[in-house]
């Protein structure tokens, strides 16, 4: 029932890291209270608090879209706006879930590398106090970005300072937060709580978990009503222990780190291997686990047949290759050999 | 990290049936496309089609609230109403998720046993065509009900006929559909597609799955836009193969049936054991895996300390005991002995 | 182009009081800023502040449904619930607008006379803090009620005390607030701000205005974001001066009072005239401008042909007769004569 | 209580045309059924049907935002997208009402003159059928645009053809439809029904009405549930006769035409008068009743003190001057003299 053992389509196409699966198996014993009132969830939340600080509070949800939408919903009224890069997942890949659930308008900022900075945001503040305009309330950034780039800590701090100076909050979509942290060689906390982030979607599914993300409120007071928002947002799962059980080894055994280090390293390897090939241009700085490249149009289809991946920009013949925790050196070897062969034809 | 091995609080407190967990483990190999474009999901959907008929179409979602809300969203406009029993899960236990996501009003009908019948619904049809009133569109029933009772097939047919005669659709919350099917000793299809149900929430989590329910449209044309509704409704999970993988043995190996037979049998055993005890009154017909009983107030706390369960109606001193696929005869034996001892004091 | 000069269908069927129309005519000169930044609106808001107290703030909206829905939206999150009588306008006559816009569930309380009191509300507080349940947040009462009855000031105070003791807010739908005030012979303030009401829909259209109601926040802090809610709620009108212009004479010349006194008096006259007629039973205490009566079924149609009014409860042959500011004694005289004649046949 | 007799801030700042006010006065007699079941509304709807064709159906709502949002709501599901110019009223000036009520995402297209054409829309069709993306459903254009420009009939036809070829519908925000019609010297119908528009917001308030716009469905089948949408959308007004009464003379006496001809002519006069003044650059083609100009920053404040108008683009020192049905030649004369004087200093 399988496709090619390991492709480069998405880090979501990988399975569960063995140590995580083992934790699920171990947790499958007897009864525990449902909906998060179980010891696995408590422990996982406690570990997250150690990572993000005493003022933080984590809530497990099911998936990344749920984490983003509900996290934003907790901090923005429907007449407010969320500012994000035009490439943001919340803008491009959530089928309008943010608008539907929060009522907010998403105001996008064009960005070549998926990152935004305060100099791009002046226009978003026009109309503050004017009732005909949506009111800016949230700046949402992705770390790592959808373009495989990573915000440096001072960049995050600058955005947070800009946000707070303008009565905005800073939201981080951390679907690939582990890849970003190892890229910067920093702790989660240095990049989030300590950098001024207010609300975080903490992702793990793209990095070896089966399912289950966390919405983490990094400032006191923000989480007050979130348990109701989560339930009304259909993101409260009954057998929650199996999310908690995954997070315990993920954090305690630093699987998040080893997985992300590996995936990032594979992306670097891939970048190295294809750099300089005729007709191949790397289009984004490779800082996490994604490689963006323009390649000759004629090689795309045949290459996809062996290793599936997505077209990113048809017009430019730009493709996206994602590596994951289970990508092997030989996959990259074989992939680049296949590519070379196709380029020669 | 465990509570009492097996309590009677909820069938959600149980874990994963071993054969289901094994299927998850087996599916954890290599890459597959995410978001349901994988062979496990395809196969599981195909098996569901065999169960529910050629005109049916199944979509996996994450949880029961998601299944109910999105299924209703697919068939009702925001100015329409959903008629349900006052005890319905959609009314009592989803924190207003139906209203928030669909915009619909829920119109409740008082019902002693959790079931509704057409004779109760005349009032709901007043105001049809009158723009100041919400327009009735959906009758939603739970099978089995939240009160542990089960609709007979002719009762469902009668409701469907009533619904269709009045331009309404019939929705079934099948969070415990397996318990209902074995209670009636019928196939899923006889109780749903063949009985006139239009949309079904097909639940498995309360009967041995880890997570993952299905919204099943039983008539052609209803599912047309559902893939977008599911995504916008935050219920599309990335590593979908692990839902599909559970459903394959659940259906093919009839785990749904053996689990539900067992849970129902345990409820009967419990009913038998407590019937006739001094101060104990069974308040609902025991037809699935729940037992409702009035017991002396003084015994509730101490009994809960050993075997946790929920108070149902504090005023009446009525409690709810749920059995599950992993309840053992000795659990019931010990539970009733404990109860007897408490009653004697 | 007219129907019968004056029927008893609804106080909405009347036109504009001449002094109000005159104010509109007078305001129709030159340019003023749109959307409420005009001197008429300022003056009207100032007068309302004098009526309701220094801590109050009024916002003009278009209609009663808008006033109710947006006022509630300002004080309740989507996971919260609004408790109201089963006969409330927000429940029965707004086509689900409250649910659609606020996301809240409406929890209804059965009430024979349209009034609720704390003794009916114990059940609504179950589930506080339990995330599966909507959280009670608002008690909404109608003054006068849809059944033509009026809350006494101590009754309002008792509801407000109950609300505030339970972390709820008290909302009043004052679509017929003038009729209630003259019925109680009190000021608006005694019945609202001073009685503990938090948010008020202040209606005028049923009492001689052309259109335009006010949402009045009676406590500091509640109105903070309301200007955005009003705009996003589509209730901000451009040529606002024509709402403000109506309110100035309505309040300054006490047209609200003279109109309501007249309408209420006409209802009393009607009640007197029909009391004792064979087959006629007054079913509600006549305290404002509505008379509810059971009358023989056979007379309803012919009576409606001369004076249109609405059937209230077909089963009981109960009808509703509304009087308005322009009802004349001779209308009632002729109406009751017609009724008598029909009863004799 | 007045500002300067006539400014150039907005056509919304003008009052009611005398003939319209007279119609309101005439309609203020006796009782009529509320909520649109009155002869004035019937007649006005009938006249609109004559203008827009037998297949059209008009519904009166309160204001332009309501007309746009509810019209779109009738033709688009929440997971769909509305494509519009980045300058569109629905995007910039409705405080997120479209997102909040419809759930749709607005996808904006950059446009220098406020108009869009099919060549700009290719990007909007990417992702059709892909569940992670909102699905394009509506193209919304403003006629006249917010930039004072007007779509030519062939341009509308081309957009309609493009829309229908791609399973989209064409919505027109006609807040200034009269100004556009007289600019093109065509009938409403030639520019809408006959050009392929599906749904129209027909505005009158900016052209001499007191309040009240119409949502006009130009194809059969689209209006089916609109009466419920309007009520749930809080846009159904009780004393509807006063909207209908305005529309009768507005259309029958062609007040729409004479008012718009005048306003447009005043804009041309203004354009002529300021063209060539030192430091003054007209930035948009003057095709309706708005004039956009860059003027020296230092003259803006003093000029606004005498004749209020809005800054359009602070960075560019661009301002917007709107004329209206009641602008007088001497207003323009005096305004331009004042401007000249300021420019000389």
């Amino acid at each position: 029932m399988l496709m090619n053992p390991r492709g480069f389509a998405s880090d979501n196409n990988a399975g569960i890291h063995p140590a995580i699966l083992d934790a699920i198996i171990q947790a499958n014993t007897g009864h525990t209270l449902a909906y998060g009132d179980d010891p696995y969830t408590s422990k996982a939340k406690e570990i997250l608090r150690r990572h993000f600080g005493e003022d933080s509070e984590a809530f497990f949800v099911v998936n990344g879209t749920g984490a983003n939408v509900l996290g934003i919903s907790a901090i923005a009224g429907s007449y407010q706006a969320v500012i994000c890069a035009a490439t943001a997942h919340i803008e491009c890949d959530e089928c309008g879930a943010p608008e539907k659930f929060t009522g907010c308008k998403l105001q996008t900022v064009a960005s070549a590398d998926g990152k935004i900075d305060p100099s791009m945001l002046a226009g978003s503040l026009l109309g503050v106090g004017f009732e005909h305009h949506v009111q800016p309330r949230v700046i949402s950034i992705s770390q790592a970005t959808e373009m495989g780039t990573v915000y440096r800590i001072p960049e995050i701090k600058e955005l947070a300072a800009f946000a707070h100076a303008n009565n905005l909050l800073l939201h981080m979509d951390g679907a690939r937060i582990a890849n970003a942290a190892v890229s910067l060689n920093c702790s989660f906390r240095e990049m989030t709580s300590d950098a001024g982030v207010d609300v975080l979607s903490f992702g793990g599914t793209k990095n070896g978990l089966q399912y289950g993300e966390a919405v983490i409120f990094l400032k006191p007071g923000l989480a007050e009503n979130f348990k109701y928002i989560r339930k009304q947002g259909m993101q409260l799962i009954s057998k929650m222990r199996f999310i908690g059980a995954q997070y315990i080894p993920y954090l305690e055994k630093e699987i998040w780190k080893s997985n992300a280090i590996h995936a990032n390293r594979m992306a670097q390897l891939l970048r190295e291997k294809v750099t300089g090939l005729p007709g191949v241009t790397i289009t984004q700085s490779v800082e996490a686990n994604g490689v963006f490249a323009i390649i000759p149009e004629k090689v795309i289809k045949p290459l996809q047949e062996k290793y599936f991946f997505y077209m990113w920009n048809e017009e430019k013949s730009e493709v996206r290759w994602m590596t994951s925790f289970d990508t092997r050196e030989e996959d990259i070897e074989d992939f680049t050999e296949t590519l070379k062969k196709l380029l020669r034809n």
Side-chain angles (χ1 to χ4, degrees), chain A residues 1-193:
Chain A
M1 291 182 81
L2 294 187
M3 295 183 39
N4 277 316
R6 284 165 186 82
F8 298 91
S10 172
D11 32 12
N12 274 327
N13 290 5
I16 313 168
H17 185 276
I20 302 296
L21 182 54
D22 193 55
I24 291 168
I25 294 166
Q26 298 309 318
N28 191 35
T29 164
H31 281 205
T32 62
L33 284 180
Y35 299 112
D37 291 330
D38 64 89
Y40 304 94
T41 305
S42 299
K43 185 167 178 194
K45 291 179 66 167
E46 180 47 37
I47 301 170
L48 283 169
R49 184 156 39 238
R50 291 206 302 270
H51 272 275
F52 289 95
E54 273 313 299
D55 282 343
S56 73
E57 187 170 2
F59 293 80
F60 292 113
V61 295
V62 178
N63 55 18
T65 296
N68 286 334
V69 171
L70 300 193
I72 289 168
S73 177
I75 58 173
S78 64
Y79 53 87
Q80 294 180 320
V82 178
I83 304 162
C84 62
T87 50
H89 195 269
I90 56 170
E91 169 66 12
C92 301
D93 296 305
E94 301 186 350
C95 198
E99 286 91 344
K100 166 75 176 170
F101 194 81
T102 71
C104 295
K105 184 185 284 294
L106 268 58
Q107 291 191 318
T108 60
V109 175
S111 161
D113 62 359
K115 291 162 68 175
I116 54 181
D117 69 66
S119 75
M120 303 169 174
L121 302 181
S124 305
L125 299 180
L126 298 175
V128 169
F130 185 51
E131 68 201 324
H132 301 267
H133 286 207
V134 288
Q135 296 297 300
R137 177 61 176 155
V138 177
I139 298 174
S140 179
I141 59 174
S142 302
Q143 176 76 323
T145 74
E146 293 76 8
M147 307 309 296
T149 56
V150 172
Y151 285 91
R152 303 297 174 268
I153 290 172
E155 293 171 331
I156 298 169
K157 286 185 171 167
E158 199 191 3
L159 275 164
F162 176 86
H164 299 149
N166 289 289
N167 196 28
L168 309 181
L169 296 176
L170 184 58
H171 172 262
M172 181 183 279
D173 176 354
R176 293 189 182 94
I177 191 171
N179 302 281
V182 304
S183 177
L184 297 178
N185 192 23
C186 73
S187 68
F188 290 137
R189 182 169 177 155
E190 288 171 274
M191 204 170 64
T192 56
S193 323

Side-chain angles (χ1 to χ4, degrees), chain A residues 254-321:
Chain A
E254 297 207 326
I255 294 168
W256 69 268
K257 190 182 277 188
S258 48
N259 277 1
I261 286 174
H262 178 80
N264 285 12
R265 195 167 61 77
M266 290 300 101
Q268 291 300 339
L269 185 62
L270 177 56
R271 180 188 57 73
E272 286 162 22
K273 294 271 181 191
V274 302
T275 298
L277 294 185
V280 173
T281 312
I282 303 290
T283 54
Q284 293 287 346
S285 174
V286 177
E287 299 173 11
N289 63 325
V291 178
F292 290 76
I294 289 172
I295 62 175
E297 206 215 312
K298 58 160 190 167
V299 309
I300 294 178
K301 273 255 165 66
L303 188 59
Q304 280 175 324
E305 267 158 39
K306 188 144 187 216
Y307 287 95
F308 188 65
F309 56 84
Y310 289 100
M311 177 66 79
W312 187 257
N313 185 323
E314 199 143 358
E315 239 169 89
K316 297 204 248 168
S317 193
E318 187 181 19
V319 301
R320 184 189 79 160
W321 298 319

Side-chain angles (χ1 to χ4, degrees), chain A residues 11-12 41 44-45 48 58-70 89 94 172-178 200-216 226 230 235-237 240 242-244 246-247 250:
Chain A
D11 32 12
N12 274 327
T41 305
K45 291 179 66 167
L48 283 169
F59 293 80
F60 292 113
V61 295
V62 178
N63 55 18
T65 296
N68 286 334
V69 171
L70 300 193
H89 195 269
E94 301 186 350
M172 181 183 279
D173 176 354
R176 293 189 182 94
I177 191 171
L200 169 69
S201 295
F202 183 89
T205 310
K206 290 178 194 293
N207 193 36
L209 300 190
Q210 184 184 12
Y211 63 100
E213 318 277 293
V215 177
I216 310 184
F226 192 71
R230 177 174 62 176
Q235 288 278 317
L236 179 64
I237 210 163
M240 185 81 96
F242 297 112
I243 295 183
Q246 295 178 69
Y247 270 84
Y250 185 68

